[in-house]
Amino acid sequence: MTAGGSLTDLVHSYLDLRWHMDPVQASFEGLSQHDGRLGSFSEARIHQHIAALKAISASVEEQHPDSLDDEIDRTALLGEIRSTLYRLEHERPHRRNPALWLSHVLEGLYVLLVVEDRSKESLQRSTRERLRAIPGVLDDARATLRQCPPVFVDTAQRVGDAGLELISLVAAAHLQDNGQEGSDGVQQSASEALTRFIAWLPEVADDESSFAIGEAAFNFRLQFQHALRDTAPQLWRYGESLISQVEAELTALARHIDRATPWPDLVDRLRDDHPTADQLVDVYAGEMERARIFVAERDLAPLPEGDLTVVPTPGFLQPLIPFAAYQAPGVFSSNRRGRFYVTQPHETDPAATARALRDHCTHEIPSTALHEGYPGHHLHLLIAQEQTSLVRRLVGTPLTIEGWALYCEDMMGEEGFYETAEQKLFQQLALLWRAVRIVLDVGLHTRAMTPAEAVQMLVQHVHFQRGHAEAEVRRYCAEPAYQLCYAVGRRELRSLREAYRNAMGADFRLGDFHRAVLRFGALPVSLMWWGLQLDA
């Protein structure tokens, strides 16, 4: 692949390569022409992808943009390419993590269940094509995977078991009424291939292989993916400090609510305050609307075009969304509506329903609503998608995406959004969870922390149920330098706000600061400092 031309041409070349390698992500972004394909992470494909990325990177490095905005975009694009290359050449998840392959395959089916701007005929065709591709992709996976850490194999087995149900769901949704259901056996072939793959997985598990990427790779991600100056040891210390700070705040808040009850016991008791299953959707919708009005009335941020609808999770998606989930529209989708799915528990066992509803605590819903909706993810991502720069629409870091949403939980509290001390208590509990994630992220990947130790820390500090904690830690093992993004991104945005406040003096307006930040999309916060011409 030859890369050349203007920065705009190079951005298009990069995106073409990205969609070629990951057609599933293209589907999520609204590019329907890729809906019938699946990618492959075979050695041959990865070598081709690396060569193409290096060619584009060399051409991007040679660019000399005329404007500061273009130079910031060039820097962001280079950071993404460099971090991708390092991951493929040194971390090699395509060789070590079978869940990478399975997640790609199954997300390729899942997206066909949730997109709203495709025709019925198109979805039927794409479903059939992706199901037909599954056996070949899994054959490539078996030829590529070697010496996989047991935690990755365990995760892949769990994902694979759920995948069998997903194949049935997507086939029922898009193939049953086309008059030719099952005529070429694509559903059966896909299911059989997945069953064989799941049965084969134990053969590739290697007890001597570690999931940890190590400190050098971790620091590389910090520098190039997130554009952070901090190294792993510095973030470890910050995480420990933040845990102590938030635990003290929780103790003080609990004492204000009920002087005789320690905060963990108080949280456990308050979780019994929750809507009924039939009330859940309306309660979440009401809090999201309250947050939207709060933002508008105080001019805290611009409101993007595109509604946010809160809906019950459809029956065919409930196995995939046991609690709740936000689904943003794709960048190129004609439908600009975001959706927040809420799964209403309707267990035959009343005790099971009661346990499920405790995760929808009345006092916790306000912070969840603003985090996912206004001014959190929905507002942020839709404003990013309105930018003229393709880089700012499509390139970013979870440090900014997750950091923004967590920053908003703080900011809205400072502005008076939380109505009770109990709501503030649960907002601080969410911050404690994110503080613990910093220590676990750094510890698991750079300090030989074991998954069992990480689970115990979640149980002890955040009082997770053990099964929930185990599921969390499996994800932390597979996604290095991601879990720290929430709390560290919050810190970075708060620091940027203070610098902006000092620069503006008496002219500081919180809404103006948010407008200035949001025009950068999800680019790293350090590039916002540069763009706003502030001294770090």
Side-chain angles (χ1 to χ4, degrees), residues 1-3 10-11 13-19 21 45-61 77-89:
M1 181 177 189
T2 302
L10 292 170
V11 171
S13 294
Y14 168 72
L15 292 175
D16 287 343
L17 178 62
R18 182 164 153 182
W19 309 141
M21 189 69 180
R45 289 286 186 89
I46 292 295
H47 285 315
Q48 292 168 2
H49 193 61
I50 288 172
L53 280 173
K54 287 181 175 179
I56 293 173
S57 179
S59 295
V60 173
E61 287 178 352
L77 181 60
L78 277 174
E80 171 151 314
I81 293 173
R82 287 168 177 164
S83 60
T84 301
L85 281 169
Y86 189 92
R87 188 162 62 251
L88 294 177
E89 291 186 297

